[in-house]
Every structure is written in C-alpha cells, then in structure tokens.
Amino acid sequence: MRRNKSIVLLSAGHACVDVYQGAVAALVPFFVAERAYTYAAASGIVLAAGLLSSVAQPFFGALTDRHPVPWLLPASTILGGLGVALSGIGGSYPLTLLFMALSGIGVAAYHPESARVARVASKGSHSSIRWFSLGGNVGFSAAPLLVTAVIATGGLRLSPLLILPALAGSVLTLPVLRALDRTPSADGGKEAAQGRDDWASFVRLSPAVVCRSIVFVGMSTFVAFHAREQTDGGTAAGTAALFVLYLGGAVGTASAATWPTAGTGSRW
C-alpha cells in the first residue's frame, strides 16, 4: 500500500478514536440537564475517563514497545466508542462512571500502538506523522457537533448511535494492518531504541504538561456551562464554545504540519 494512502486511512481512524476524547466533555451538559447531576458529579465523569486513560496509557506504551500488537487498533477503537455509547443508557451514576472509564481505557490502548504503526507506515516521514496527529485533532474538535446532533434530538437514550465512528474507524485501519502484515520489516515491526532516555528533560517537561492538561481539561468540562449562562443561548451556545476551543487545537496542529522539514532534523 502506498505511504500516503496508509497515512490517510490511519489519520481518519485516529479522528474516529479521538472523537471519544472530545465526546466526554460534550456529553457533560446533557448529563446535568437530563439527570440533574451536580457540577461535582459532572467533573467526576470527566475524571473517570481521563484519569484511567492517563494511568493506563504508559502500560500500553511499555507493552507495544516490546511486542507489536496491531490488533489493538480496531479493538481499542471499538472499546473507546462502546464506553461512550453505553454511558447514556440507564440512570446509574456508578455505571456511567464505569462506561466512561472503559472508554478511557480504549483510547489509552489505541495511541501507543497506532503511533508505532503510523511510524512504520510513514517510512520515517515526520510530515506524515504530523498529519496523523492532525487527524486526531480533527476528530476531537468535531466531537461536540456530533454529540449535540445525536443527543439534542432524542436525549441520552440515543447515545448508542455514538458507536458509529468507532465502527468506521476500526474498519479503516484493517487495510493498513493487512498491508503491513504482508510486508513485515526485518525486526518484526519493532524499532531499535536510539541512545538513552533523557530522564532529566522528562522530569522538567512533565510539570508543564500536567499544568497544561489541568487548564485544558478544566476549561473543556465547564466552558459549555459558562457559555450557556453568559449568553442564554442554551445548548447551541455551549456546543459552539466547546467546538471553538477544540478547533483551536486542530488549527495549531495543522499549522505545525506545514512547517518546513530538513532531513531528520525536522521541527515539531
């Protein structure tokens, strides 16, 4: 399979998965409106998806560093979508947390292995990897529109329809995995580690990432409520505010993807 076609399919699959990262915050206003959850309960839903995903992802990263697991791409895509799709059925708060946590695990399982597959499929092209990253940002930013289109028309009982992007994303990855399976690399798909881990830089960078995530997740959780209260625009105002917030990330990634590259010294 041609490199460009592989990256297009993987980018589209990445978009389908990251829909479920953006869908969690987009669903929160509907949980509050339909089930009368408090803001604390609403933030717990976001915590269930985000915290478990963050804790689980290093495990999956360590696993795929040692043993390529390509089947994780379609399987984790389905799991990520299934958790969000089931979160709207029934009225049990613990069950809602459980479904959101399952979605978070699916998203966590997807990213390390998908990054490995994208590196192999791109044959080392930094620009291709940027476009793969952009796919995730597009799906993330589109999530509020998708959630509102489904839930605003029939309430949380229609949440099972949100499984559709996951089904599409899992199918999109299959041609790439089949192509890579027919043309395995000499090392079985694993990449040899270059140099040593720079733990000092990692420790310095981690607090900045943590602080950025706290601000972004906090804004994602409550910006829709703020927009609705300030504008009296209802669900549409909240959705628009969340979409603009997420779209900014996609635009930033798209800008980075157009930066010039020079050999292996490409800038991120």
Side-chain angles (χ1 to χ4, degrees), residues 31-48:
F31 282 120
V32 171
E34 194 166 317
R35 298 183 181 175
Y37 287 165
T38 64
Y39 283 3
S43 64
I45 293 173
V46 178
L47 180 66

Side-chain angles (χ1 to χ4, degrees), residues 12 16 20 28 35-36 40 76-77 81 123 125 144-146 160 168 170 172 176 198 200 213 218 230 243-244 256 263:
C16 292
Y20 299 107
V28 164
R35 298 183 181 175
S76 60
T77 300
K123 298 179 173 63
S125 168
L145 303 179
L146 174 64
S170 63
L172 288 170
V176 180
D198 187 353
S213 297
Q230 294 298 314
F243 173 69
V244 169

Side-chain angles (χ1 to χ4, degrees), residues 9-113:
L9 291 174
L10 289 172
S11 297
H14 194 187
C16 292
V17 171
D18 278 9
V19 159
Y20 299 107
Q21 290 199 80
V24 176
L27 280 166
V28 164
F30 295 100
F31 282 120
V32 171
E34 194 166 317
R35 298 183 181 175
Y37 287 165
T38 64
Y39 283 3
S43 64
I45 293 173
V46 178
L47 180 66
L51 182 62
L52 194 57
S53 179
S54 299
V55 171
Q57 190 156 315
F59 167 77
F60 288 109
L63 173 66
T64 57
D65 277 347
R66 291 167 174 78
H67 307 286
V69 194
W71 59 262
L72 263 182
L73 269 66
S76 60
T77 300
I78 293 295
L79 182 60
L82 188 63
V84 167
L86 294 178
S87 66
I89 63 175
S92 167
Y93 182 69
L95 199 58
T96 300
L97 294 181
L98 175 62
F99 288 141
M100 286 300 189
L102 289 176
S103 179
I105 292 175
V107 171
Y110 173 85
H111 282 90
E113 181 63 7

Side-chain angles (χ1 to χ4, degrees), residues 19-258:
V19 159
Y20 299 107
Q21 290 199 80
V24 176
L27 280 166
V28 164
F30 295 100
F31 282 120
V32 171
E34 194 166 317
R35 298 183 181 175
Y37 287 165
T38 64
Y39 283 3
S43 64
I45 293 173
V46 178
L47 180 66
L51 182 62
L52 194 57
S53 179
S54 299
V55 171
Q57 190 156 315
F59 167 77
F60 288 109
L63 173 66
T64 57
D65 277 347
R66 291 167 174 78
H67 307 286
V69 194
W71 59 262
L72 263 182
L73 269 66
S76 60
T77 300
I78 293 295
L79 182 60
L82 188 63
V84 167
L86 294 178
S87 66
I89 63 175
S92 167
Y93 182 69
L95 199 58
T96 300
L97 294 181
L98 175 62
F99 288 141
M100 286 300 189
L102 289 176
S103 179
I105 292 175
V107 171
Y110 173 85
H111 282 90
E113 181 63 7
S114 67
R116 184 195 68 81
V117 171
R119 286 196 299 271
V120 174
S122 68
K123 298 179 173 63
S125 168
H126 291 195
S127 179
S128 294
I129 294 298
R130 290 172 187 157
W131 289 111
F132 170 72
S133 178
L134 175 62
N137 278 265
V138 170
F140 191 79
S141 60
L145 303 179
L146 174 64
V147 167
T148 300
V150 172
I151 305 301
T153 57
L156 290 171
R157 64 184 179 84
L158 293 184
S159 68
L161 292 177
L162 295 175
I163 192 67
L164 294 178
L167 297 177
S170 63
V171 171
L172 288 170
T173 62
L174 296 180
V176 180
L177 297 184
R178 285 197 295 266
L180 293 179
D181 187 57
R182 289 195 296 268
T183 57
S185 59
D187 61 358
K190 293 184 288 185
E191 297 180 1
Q194 300 291 330
R196 295 180 300 176
D197 293 330
D198 187 353
W199 285 104
S201 297
F202 176 81
V203 170
R204 289 196 298 269
L205 179 62
S206 294
V209 175
V210 170
C211 291
R212 175 264 177 198
S213 297
I214 290 173
V215 173
F216 185 78
V217 173
M219 289 183 63
S220 300
T221 304
F222 296 110
V223 69
F225 295 115
H226 180 72
R228 291 170 64 178
E229 292 173 358
Q230 294 298 314
T231 65
D232 294 325
T235 302
T239 299
L242 195 57
F243 173 69
V244 169
L245 177 65
Y246 289 168
L247 184 62
V251 171
T253 303
S255 299
T258 62

